[in-house]
Amino acid sequence: MGSRVLVIGGDAAGMTAASALRRRLPAEHEVVVLERTQRTSYSACGIPYWVSGEVESVDDLVARSPEEHRANGIDLRTGAEAAAIDVEARSVTYRDADDEQTLDYDRLVIATGAEPRRPDLPGIDAEGIYGIQTLADGEAVIAALGERPRHVVVVGSGYVGLEMAEAMTQRGIDTTVIERGETPLSLLEPSLGTKVADAMRDLGITLRTGTAVDGFVEEDGRVAGVRAGGETYPADLVVLGLGVVARTRLAQDAGLPTGAKGGIVVDDTQRVEGADGVWAAGDCVVTRDRITGDLLHVPLGTHANKQGLVMADAIAADLLGEAPRLRFPGIVRTAITKFCSLEISRTGLGEQQARDAGFDPVVATIDTTTTAGYFPDAGTMTVLMVADRATRRLLGVQVVGERNAGLRIDTGAVAITAEMTVDDVVMLDLAYAPPFASVWSPLQVAAREAVKRLS
Amino acid sequence: MGSRVLVIGGDAAGMTAASALRRRLPAEHEVVVLERTQRTSYSACGIPYWVSGEVESVDDLVARSPEEHRANGIDLRTGAEAAAIDVEARSVTYRDADDEQTLDYDRLVIATGAEPRRPDLPGIDAEGIYGIQTLADGEAVIAALGERPRHVVVVGSGYVGLEMAEAMTQRGIDTTVIERGETPLSLLEPSLGTKVADAMRDLGITLRTGTAVDGFVEEDGRVAGVRAGGETYPADLVVLGLGVVARTRLAQDAGLPTGAKGGIVVDDTQRVEGADGVWAAGDCVVTRDRITGDLLHVPLGTHANKQGLVMADAIAADLLGEAPRLRFPGIVRTAITKFCSLEISRTGLGEQQARDAGFDPVVATIDTTTTAGYFPDAGTMTVLMVADRATRRLLGVQVVGERNAGLRIDTGAVAITAEMTVDDVVMLDLAYAPPFASVWSPLQVAAREAVKRLS
């Protein structure tokens, strides 16, 4: 007789797992998915590009529709919001349009994602204040744009804040970004964050750094302004770019272990620690840093997809009495974004993160070009590299630069994963031709500078 | 009392070593360089871009002039062509404008570079047939362009052949490329080479593959055509793109050991095997493949620069009684080029190379996009991956694609160097954001396909 795998959440991690399970498990096993919205498998990361108009339709952001999933044999229930998990009884209670049901499971997958942080400030519940996480959020913002807002305030300048600020400016709307830190994009070292700040101001964005938001001005139930640092900034529309927290109230109520930002704690097959028959993956879990061993909450679609595959493999192996073949090895904090023509990326540890992890960091920063310097259209780029003094190990790389700069971070990510020293990096056989690099690739120019600083 | 380090050859490897030695050695040591031309430290790889007009002036290709080197304390003798090395007597005989001199040395550096292969065919000595290696070659071609050639034939379609064919077409000259193999760029697998062939034809180049050159038509001492495969192609100008061989007649006459394409055999500090006090680096040496251990001749400025540094470190250590700090670890055959908007790159082993090295290769090829697929301007790219069946080790990656495709090869180069499996590659933390990649990075899409083919 078949088992039932019940998946809560129909986006990246949940649907990757459901699809992989459906392919791998014999037909007598059921794969049921509960999704609270009407949509599945969408790219939340694409929302800013939909808001900017670069991506035309919301359908473009949907990798696979509910109908396609159902055609593949998945029992997908949309508009079905899970209300409680009973891990002892192995059942989940959920509500759809007008009903409440309880469904038993043999194996449970929690893939409930994350939600934007909404600071507990006066006026936060006024209409017109949007976080950006679901397609519904994107739809709400686009609908609000139809009312011709004149002033947008973006609170916070992480990736989403930055991308939304660019999108709003491209829409011709006066845009202010309010950031608590001294530079935007706190995942970048301040020396590189300054370059991003310059690019924001060059685009005409009003950037207020070192400024905390005190509250929101409300008029007739709608937001009319943002109070921050003793001033009031007019705003018809507010975008919250303060990051996200794991959506794990259900899991917490069920007594499952959680860590940073509410993320569920799992092992390297995504099995929830200390719970029987329960797995979790994606934006609702914490993930191990391969360098420090720390458990971090890093909500990114690329991790969710990988974890979904690992989880499906482990569940299938469990049900079929086999050994799991996949392990999720953790992350090295790689991230990338674009602001206008500026490509911005990072991997590994920043200086303070390295110090916090017990390393003795040495930092090298270099300016170079994205092609051989003699090309008339050579772009500029800056590479910052962090290495450990004692072991000479490469710990982190950050890049800000023009065309062809950003993706070079992957080279750093692999070198960090392989525990290479900066000396190893200097001698790597990286691609060289004048349209792509100088005879020393930008990461190697930085590694040579790090070697110099280490001696 | 100081020693004399004598360097033969004033381009990448020689001048990198001379400069590093000058910085590291106390002033009583002499650093003397013999350079047969009037120029130093130039980018031979940049010549096609100078011919195309993208790079304006020959001076742009010179990283450091003779005057600058002399100002740094190097005894640089230009127009000085070494004629013989006596490794027993530790002396070198050289000729300048009107004199022949013999100079003793304590340590010798051979950095004589490479020269274009000139096939021994009827008519090869006609005027108007150019290899592309030195700035003088570039100058000669540019001078020939002044005579308004109507038809150019490029013989061979390696990197230089391809780049020169593009440059000539950009100049508005009717261009034919004759290639002995079935597809251009023999360093690519034929399935990817076909894409390059299509791009060449799209640009209007006449491409004849599977065609060997039989000889050159000469009229009044000048080339007038190329005979190949039973036809005669009119040509006012012929470019040889048949690769290069090491320029090591001097070294061979001195009894030094040579290997593939005449490259001098050195150890991992660039010391010449079996010779006392002699080092060599750059396009005149063979280099160890990190995967197979084979000694290969891979003439590239990036290797020359690294080897120059390693060599200088070893010579300084030898003179100062210290232990060398650097080792040249070998290469993984990484290479990149561009043809119009097509970026082309490769690293590691192709299928046949893997088989020749004793592996049991599995090949996976995938088509994907250079951004999230839903971006309206998503470029296309193809990734080919070679893995070993028994160990699942990543052996090779090849990429042909549009904007942002080519440099992804570096990720493969580092993963190969770190001896990762394709399973490891699938789980790497690579940069993800919609303007740069789909949620699975192109190399990971290929690695997943390789995993599928391995099971």
Side-chain angles (χ1 to χ4, degrees):
Chain A
M1 211 192 72
S3 307
R4 175 184 291 150
V5 183
L6 179 58
V7 177
I8 308 177
D11 197 10
M15 292 318 304
T16 297
S19 301
L21 282 164
R22 191 61 288 166
R23 284 193 301 269
R24 177 113 168 255
L25 292 176
E28 72 262 26
H29 298 280
E30 265 184 85
V31 179
V32 182
V33 178
L34 306 176
E35 164 57 35
R36 66 194 174 102
T37 75
Q38 297 298 330
R39 290 212 176 87
T40 50
S41 305
Y42 59 86
S43 167
C45 326
I47 294 174
Y49 306 97
W50 174 34
V51 171
S52 71
E54 286 168 86
V55 173
E56 268 184 35
S57 151
V58 62
D59 296 332
D60 294 333
L61 299 184
V62 176
R64 204 172 279 177
S65 69
E67 294 67 37
E68 291 172 281
H69 284 300
R70 289 188 186 116
N72 287 338
I74 295 170
D75 178 354
L76 171 65
R77 307 182 187 186
T78 48
E81 179 149 24
I85 301 169
D86 185 335
V87 292
E88 293 303 319
R90 294 206 177 199
S91 70
V92 170
T93 302
Y94 73 94
R95 297 189 200 95
D96 56 20
D98 43 16
D99 205 7
E100 177 162 306
Q101 299 190 40
T102 296
L103 204 58
D104 293 340
Y105 65 78
D106 296 285
R107 301 292 183 278
L108 177 67
V109 165
I110 304 176
T112 46
E115 57 200 352
R117 279 189 54 217
R118 288 186 83 87
D120 186 17
L121 290 172
I124 183 74
D125 292 324
E127 258 185 72
I129 303 179
Y130 301 98
I132 303 294
Q133 183 69 11
T134 65
L135 294 186
D137 296 332
E139 266 161 352
V141 169
I142 286 172
L145 290 177
E147 293 165 33
R148 308 253 173 131
R150 290 171 55 215
H151 305 286
V152 171
V153 172
V154 177
V155 181
S157 63
Y159 294 103
V160 170
L162 200 66
E163 289 158 6
M164 287 300 292
E166 182 185 354
M168 293 297 173
T169 311
Q170 283 179 354
R171 288 269 187 181
I173 308 167
D174 170 63
T175 303
T176 299
V177 174
I178 297 173
E179 164 62 44
R180 181 194 294 259
E182 292 306 318
T183 48
L185 271 181
S186 63
L187 288 170
L188 284 187
E189 298 292 293
S191 62
L192 297 197
T194 301
K195 292 177 190 289
V196 178
D198 290 344
M200 291 172 77
R201 293 187 170 116
D202 285 350
L203 192 67
I205 292 171
T206 303
L207 174 64
R208 290 285 177 269
T209 55
T211 304
V213 170
D214 304 312
F216 302 91
V217 182
E218 199 174 335
E219 276 175 17
D220 304 329
R222 283 201 55 85
V223 72
V226 178
R227 276 194 289 268
E231 286 191 56
T232 297
Y233 299 88
D236 315 304
L237 184 60
V238 171
V239 173
L240 298 175
L242 294 166
V244 297
V245 290
R247 248 181 130 259
T248 50
R249 191 193 48 74
L250 269 187
Q252 293 186 30
D253 288 351
L256 299 178
T258 55
K261 293 189 185 151
I264 302 168
V265 179
V266 294
D267 71 11
D268 63 359
T269 68
Q270 303 300 129
R271 191 164 197 152
V272 177
E273 307 262 2
D276 235 34
V278 184
W279 274 260
D283 291 2
C284 67
V285 303
V286 289
T287 296
R288 195 167 297 277
D289 180 291
R290 289 175 87 147
I291 311 171
T292 64
D294 292 343
L295 292 178
L296 309 170
H297 183 243
V298 181
L300 268 179
T302 183
H303 304 329
N305 270 267
K306 286 169 199 157
Q307 292 170 349
L309 277 193
V310 169
M311 173 165 74
D313 173 66
I315 293 171
D318 191 34
L319 287 173
L320 302 174
E322 302 170 359
R325 290 178 292 198
L326 301 181
R327 306 272 163 184
F328 187 71
I331 62 166
V332 293
R333 314 192 198 192
T334 310
I336 190 166
T337 190
K338 208 163 83 69
F339 183 81
C340 300
S341 67
L342 210 59
E343 303 183 355
I344 304 157
S345 56
R346 53 105 54 229
T347 189
L349 306 179
E351 182 175 11
Q352 189 56 48
Q353 290 166 336
R355 195 165 285 123
D356 292 347
F359 295 104
D360 179 8
V362 172
V363 178
T365 305
I366 60 96
D367 293 310
T368 183
T369 50
T370 58
T371 65
Y374 53 75
F375 267 70
D377 63 345
T380 61
M381 70 181 281
T382 302
V383 182
L384 181 149
M385 195 167 267
V386 181
D388 179 43
R389 188 175 297 278
T391 60
R392 305 175 75 86
R393 186 176 162 191
L394 175 66
L395 296 176
V397 184
Q398 303 191 4
V399 169
V400 173
E402 294 169 87
R403 185 169 41 84
N404 259 343
L407 280 171
R408 295 177 197 257
I409 207 68
D410 283 348
T411 309
V414 186
I416 288 171
T417 302
E419 302 190 14
M420 290 185 178
T421 63
V422 284
D423 313 279
D424 293 333
V425 173
V426 171
M427 290 295 161
L428 282 171
D429 183 3
L430 301 182
Y432 163 61
F436 296 97
S438 291
V439 75
W440 291 95
S441 142
L443 261 66
Q444 293 180 313
V445 177
R448 289 183 70 190
E449 180 65 24
V451 165
K452 206 182 284 178
R453 284 173 185 267
L454 282 166
S455 70
Chain B
M1 211 192 72
S3 308
R4 175 184 292 150
V5 183
L6 180 58
V7 177
I8 308 178
D11 196 9
M15 293 319 302
T16 297
S19 301
L21 283 164
R22 189 62 288 164
R23 286 192 301 270
R24 176 113 169 256
L25 292 176
E28 72 261 26
H29 298 280
E30 265 183 87
V31 178
V32 182
V33 178
L34 307 177
E35 164 57 35
R36 66 193 174 103
T37 75
Q38 296 300 328
R39 292 212 175 85
T40 50
S41 305
Y42 59 86
S43 168
C45 326
I47 294 173
Y49 307 98
W50 173 35
V51 171
S52 72
E54 287 167 86
V55 172
E56 268 184 36
S57 150
V58 62
D59 295 333
D60 294 333
L61 300 184
V62 176
R64 203 171 280 175
S65 68
E67 294 67 36
E68 291 171 280
H69 284 301
R70 290 187 186 116
N72 288 338
I74 294 169
D75 178 354
L76 171 66
R77 307 182 187 186
T78 48
E81 179 151 22
I85 302 168
D86 185 335
V87 292
E88 293 302 319
R90 295 207 177 198
S91 70
V92 169
T93 301
Y94 72 95
R95 297 190 199 95
D96 56 19
D98 42 19
D99 205 7
E100 177 162 305
Q101 299 190 38
T102 296
L103 204 59
D104 293 338
Y105 64 78
D106 295 285
R107 301 292 181 278
L108 177 68
V109 166
I110 303 176
T112 44
E115 58 199 351
R117 279 189 54 218
R118 290 186 84 88
D120 187 19
L121 290 171
I124 183 73
D125 293 324
E127 256 184 77
I129 302 178
Y130 301 98
I132 304 294
Q133 182 68 11
T134 65
L135 294 186
D137 296 332
E139 264 161 353
V141 170
I142 286 173
L145 290 177
E147 292 164 34
R148 310 252 173 130
R150 292 169 54 214
H151 305 284
V152 170
V153 172
V154 177
V155 181
S157 63
Y159 294 104
V160 169
L162 201 66
E163 290 158 7
M164 288 299 292
E166 183 185 352
M168 292 300 172
T169 310
Q170 283 178 356
R171 289 270 186 179
I173 307 167
D174 170 63
T175 302
T176 299
V177 174
I178 296 173
E179 164 60 45
R180 178 194 296 259
E182 292 305 319
T183 49
L185 270 181
S186 63
L187 288 171
L188 285 187
E189 298 292 292
S191 62
L192 298 197
T194 302
K195 293 177 190 289
V196 179
D198 290 345
M200 291 171 77
R201 292 186 171 118
D202 285 350
L203 192 68
I205 291 172
T206 303
L207 174 63
R208 290 284 176 270
T209 55
T211 305
V213 170
D214 303 313
F216 301 90
V217 181
E218 200 175 333
E219 277 176 17
D220 303 329
R222 283 200 57 83
V223 71
V226 177
R227 275 192 290 269
E231 286 191 57
T232 298
Y233 299 89
D236 313 304
L237 185 61
V238 171
V239 172
L240 298 176
L242 294 166
V244 297
V245 290
R247 244 180 134 262
T248 49
R249 193 193 46 75
L250 268 188
Q252 293 185 30
D253 288 351
L256 300 178
T258 56
K261 292 188 184 152
I264 302 168
V265 180
V266 294
D267 69 12
D268 64 0
T269 67
Q270 302 300 131
R271 192 165 194 151
V272 178
E273 309 262 1
D276 235 33
V278 184
W279 275 260
D283 290 1
C284 67
V285 303
V286 288
T287 297
R288 195 166 296 275
D289 180 292
R290 289 175 87 148
I291 311 171
T292 64
D294 292 343
L295 292 177
L296 309 170
H297 183 243
V298 181
L300 267 179
T302 183
H303 304 328
N305 270 268
K306 286 169 198 155
Q307 293 171 349
L309 278 192
V310 169
M311 174 165 74
D313 172 67
I315 293 170
D318 190 36
L319 287 173
L320 303 173
E322 300 170 3
R325 292 179 291 199
L326 301 180
R327 305 273 162 185
F328 187 71
I331 62 166
V332 293
R333 314 192 196 191
T334 310
I336 191 167
T337 189
K338 209 162 82 68
F339 182 81
C340 300
S341 66
L342 209 59
E343 302 182 357
I344 304 157
S345 55
R346 54 104 55 227
T347 188
L349 306 179
E351 183 176 9
Q352 189 57 48
Q353 289 166 336
R355 194 164 287 123
D356 291 346
F359 295 104
D360 178 8
V362 172
V363 178
T365 305
I366 59 96
D367 292 310
T368 184
T369 50
T370 59
T371 65
Y374 53 75
F375 267 70
D377 63 344
T380 59
M381 70 182 279
T382 302
V383 181
L384 181 149
M385 194 168 267
V386 181
D388 179 43
R389 188 176 297 279
T391 60
R392 305 175 74 86
R393 185 175 162 193
L394 176 66
L395 295 176
V397 184
Q398 304 192 3
V399 169
V400 173
E402 293 168 85
R403 184 171 40 86
N404 259 345
L407 280 171
R408 296 177 197 255
I409 207 68
D410 283 347
T411 309
V414 186
I416 288 171
T417 302
E419 302 190 12
M420 290 185 178
T421 64
V422 284
D423 313 277
D424 293 333
V425 172
V426 170
M427 290 296 162
L428 282 171
D429 184 3
L430 302 182
Y432 164 60
F436 296 97
S438 291
V439 75
W440 292 96
S441 139
L443 261 65
Q444 294 180 312
V445 178
R448 289 184 70 191
E449 180 64 24
V451 166
K452 205 181 286 177
R453 284 173 185 268
L454 283 166
S455 69

